[in-house]
Amino acid sequence: MAKKITTRFAPSPTGFLHVGGLRTALYSYLFARHHGGNFLLRIEDTDQTRKVEGAAESLITTLEKFGLNRDNKKVVFQSERLEKYQTGAKKLVEASQAYYCFCSKDRLDNLRQLQTQKGLPPMYDGHCRNLTPAEIEEKITNNQEYVIRFKMPKTGQTEFIDLVRGKVTFDNKLLDDPIILKSDGFPTYHLASVIDDHDMEVTDVIRGEEWLPSTPKHLLLYKAFNWDKPNFAHLPLLLNSDRTKLSKRQGDVAVEDYLAKGYLPEALLNFVLLLGWNPGTDQEIFNLEEMIKTFAIDKINKSGAIFNVQKLDWLNGHYLRSKSPHQLAKLCEPYFSQAGINVKNKEINLEKVIASEQQRIKRLNEIVEATGFFFQLPDYETKLLVWKKSTGQATLKNLELIKIELEKIPANDWQTETLEKIITLFIKDNNYSIGDMLWPMRVALTGRQASPGNFEVAAILGKTESLNRIEMAIEKLQAKDLGNNLG
Ligand code: GLU
């Protein structure tokens, strides 16, 4: 019977989830789900030097935000499985597939230096490969530190069919004897990942291209253990627009940072889906269900995928627009709190405020900058009230006229359409210039040069607040020496 398709995501807890990691997790998840298989999570936390407190937990929570639900209730932590790896390494030693290596750091440093001087690729020279049992015994009795190295074949080739790249061939003589167990008893990535993938019955290993050089070592380890090997798929690198490898130095790579800026999980998922994969159709918007249905591993590109933030903004805008104002208001609330703005103001309806910018914002964090003025009295320079070639005096008069007109509109009819109809007619009937009248009104209400439409803003602010703000502007103008045109 064919084995159930099983994939896994196996991040190292470095402190954040890399966007490339999110893509690996998504593709692994989709591949498993598409085939009705299992998707497992394993935390590769055996590197004691890179340990970051709380990083594993935060990885797990971040992944959960994307709905990439795993099938193993209990996440596998490599640090809890040390005995397994130690037993595995000893088994390979007994079978002469691995050996104790007592080389000191100094010796290895010198070796590397010599090789580099000769222009040779630095690699272990096999110094301890053929120690006799007596020599080994003696060194161990003398408490000499050791690691365990895997014995790689020195001739021939190792090849496999990568699900993305097709046939890949490695020359064995170029492969180092890798350390599989360190002197502190911790395994290296190679040993731990092979033992775990076997124990977890992983059928398809999907991971970043940076792991491709490790694959022949892994294949040979499977062979040495006499285990069936899984399929491998190596995903193309993520690149900056200048085609250099995407790195923290050039911008954000942490998924947590994108979430904090107000990119929605569904937009980020949709974005990473299209990084190096396409459905072969024009479809660009996918929810998770559609992704599962459409995902096919043979449509993954071999060449690097450019990380295009404009595309991410576009997708995020799409998902933001598809939210209801109520949903969006809930999502925006934390951003107002962070900025110290209290939006629980009964006079002003947050959902209407949000709706006034819903078509424009690309990230949730833009909402405070775009609409904060609704909740806080605007602060602006008086001269901003003056439209183009107009004067302070004319502006003052115009604002007074507008105010009188607005005062006549009953509070229960204070709505965008009514305001627009009455004020537009007033401007037209009196032959006033639109800019001269509506510009100062906008600045008075918002303190800004650009905002949602005057009448929508006034409607949301309500009659009392709108008139207050216009009065405030009038007082600002009165306080200035209008003779010098406020310049
Ligand atoms: N721990 C490795 C990483 O962080 C996993 C590589 C693999 O999937 O085998 O990328």
Side-chain angles (χ1 to χ4, degrees):
M1 204 180 78
K3 277 199 222 156
K4 188 168 188 163
I5 295 279
T6 302
T7 63
R8 53 40 167 199
F9 178 48
S12 306
T14 52
F16 64 93
L17 174 59
H18 193 286
V19 279
L22 179 63
R23 182 188 61 172
T24 304
L26 176 65
Y27 287 10
S28 306
Y29 173 87
L30 296 178
F31 185 74
R33 288 287 177 268
H34 183 86
H35 294 284
N38 287 331
F39 169 68
L40 310 177
L41 179 61
R42 171 171 87 225
I43 302 290
E44 302 210 323
D45 58 347
T46 55
D47 190 343
Q48 293 302 85
T49 55
R50 289 172 55 201
K51 215 170 163 177
V52 180
E53 227 31 74
E57 294 67 26
S58 111
L59 252 175
I60 295 169
T61 342
T62 305
L63 271 179
E64 281 168 357
K65 290 188 182 144
F66 291 91
L68 303 180
N69 300 330
R70 59 180 188 270
D71 292 297
N72 49 338
K73 273 216 184 68
K74 178 156 172 18
V75 175
V76 175
F77 281 81
Q78 289 190 326
S79 58
E80 294 169 5
R81 294 170 47 81
L82 297 184
E83 254 185 70
K84 287 252 174 207
Y85 311 128
Q86 288 160 359
T87 312
K90 296 260 155 68
K91 216 161 121 192
L92 291 179
V93 172
E94 280 156 23
S96 297
Q97 304 269 13
Y99 58 94
Y100 292 97
C101 169
F102 299 90
C103 290
S104 65
K105 187 174 172 300
D106 278 354
R107 177 173 188 276
L108 295 175
D109 286 347
N110 287 338
L111 178 66
R112 183 166 309 128
Q113 219 176 4
L114 277 176
Q115 288 169 330
T116 318
Q117 274 165 13
K118 287 189 194 153
L120 296 168
M123 62 194 285
Y124 184 62
D125 60 355
H127 183 75
C128 294
R129 220 171 133 120
N130 298 310
L131 292 178
T132 63
E135 285 169 318
I136 295 169
E137 187 70 46
E138 190 200 320
K139 288 180 192 291
I140 293 181
T141 322
N142 286 341
N143 274 335
Q144 234 177 291
E145 247 189 22
Y146 65 82
V147 298
I148 294 181
R149 285 185 188 269
F150 182 50
K151 221 181 242 179
M152 300 288 280
K154 289 291 153 215
T155 55
Q157 292 183 322
T158 299
E159 53 184 42
F160 72 101
I161 308 287
D162 188 277
L163 296 182
V164 173
R165 322 169 67 84
K167 189 159 146 185
V168 189
T169 308
F170 293 88
D171 247 336
N172 290 341
K173 67 171 182 299
L174 299 177
L175 302 172
D176 223 346
D177 283 353
I179 297 175
I180 54 174
L181 201 75
K182 293 182 278 190
S183 54
D184 59 3
F186 276 74
T188 58
Y189 159 65
H190 305 300
L191 181 70
S193 94
V194 165
I195 290 186
D196 288 345
D197 284 339
H198 172 75
D199 283 359
M200 293 162 78
E201 300 185 24
V202 170
T203 57
D204 295 83
V205 170
I206 299 175
R207 60 186 175 198
E209 190 180 295
E210 62 275 27
W211 303 106
L212 188 60
S214 300
T215 308
K217 297 173 190 166
H218 297 183
L219 289 166
L220 291 161
L221 276 166
Y222 279 102
K223 202 163 149 201
F225 280 121
N226 221 347
W227 290 338
D228 284 345
K229 59 180 180 2
N231 297 317
F232 289 91
H234 290 91
L235 308 178
L237 286 179
L238 296 188
L239 307 173
N240 295 300
S241 48
D242 61 1
R243 302 203 72 83
T244 53
K245 194 175 163 195
L246 191 71
S247 71
K248 195 135 181 85
R249 248 179 310 123
Q250 295 207 30
D252 289 339
V253 292
V255 168
E256 292 82 351
D257 290 346
Y258 285 98
L259 290 173
K261 279 190 195 160
Y263 288 101
L264 299 171
E266 51 269 51
L268 276 163
L269 265 195
N270 199 149
F271 175 66
V272 297
L273 171 76
L274 301 175
L275 279 178
W277 180 85
N278 73 77
T281 64
D282 288 343
Q283 186 177 353
E284 292 205 280
I285 305 288
F286 291 84
N287 62 30
L288 199 49
E289 216 138 278
E290 289 166 322
M291 291 183 197
I292 294 172
K293 217 159 95 199
T294 326
F295 188 75
I297 207 154
D298 58 1
K299 296 229 166 59
I300 296 176
N301 301 333
K302 289 191 194 55
S303 53
I306 305 237
F307 190 93
N308 176 351
V309 181
Q310 284 83 27
K311 177 85 176 247
L312 174 59
D313 282 343
W314 176 78
L315 282 166
N316 206 47
H318 166 84
Y319 284 99
L320 287 174
R321 287 192 295 280
S322 62
K323 297 269 174 213
S324 71
H326 178 71
Q327 290 170 322
L328 204 51
K330 280 263 151 295
L331 290 166
C332 288
E333 266 180 30
Y335 292 88
F336 286 109
S337 318
Q338 266 166 36
I341 297 177
N342 175 15
V343 291
K344 301 267 186 277
N345 183 337
K346 286 191 191 52
E347 308 296 317
I348 292 177
N349 182 318
L350 179 61
E351 288 180 22
K352 287 192 179 156
V353 168
I354 303 285
S356 76
E357 280 292 344
Q358 184 163 9
Q359 299 302 315
R360 272 182 291 263
I361 54 164
K362 295 197 189 72
R363 292 185 303 275
L364 294 173
N365 67 349
E366 291 173 347
I367 201 70
V368 174
E369 166 70 17
T371 65
F373 67 85
F374 280 104
F375 304 97
Q376 289 177 325
L377 273 186
D379 184 20
Y380 54 91
E381 276 190 62
T382 310
K383 67 176 177 201
L384 189 62
L385 288 161
V386 183
W387 169 247
K388 287 192 176 163
K389 293 213 173 80
S390 188
T391 61
Q393 228 133 26
T395 306
L396 175 58
K397 196 181 109 229
N398 293 341
L399 270 178
E400 280 169 340
L401 288 169
I402 288 262
K403 189 176 169 226
I404 295 169
E405 209 50 34
L406 288 171
E407 272 167 347
K408 291 188 214 153
I409 304 172
N412 60 8
D413 208 6
W414 190 268
Q415 284 150 14
T416 312
E417 298 72 30
T418 321
L419 291 165
E420 179 161 14
K421 211 168 91 197
I422 294 177
I423 299 297
T424 321
L425 202 67
F426 164 72
I427 293 174
K428 206 167 148 222
D429 284 354
N430 291 288
N431 255 333
Y432 294 136
S433 116
I434 294 183
D436 279 343
M437 296 309 257
L438 294 189
W439 175 266
M441 178 178 168
R442 172 197 301 280
V443 176
L445 295 177
T446 67
R448 305 157 50 119
Q449 312 191 27
S451 70
N454 273 2
F455 306 113
E456 189 180 3
V457 171
I460 298 172
L461 286 172
K463 184 170 178 179
T464 315
E465 181 65 15
S466 300
L467 290 173
N468 267 349
R469 290 188 182 192
I470 292 177
E471 181 55 32
M472 225 178 70
I474 290 173
E475 282 166 19
K476 266 165 112 69
L477 285 161
Q478 282 167 341
K480 281 270 177 183
D481 171 9
L482 299 180
N484 65 4
N485 201 12
L486 296 170

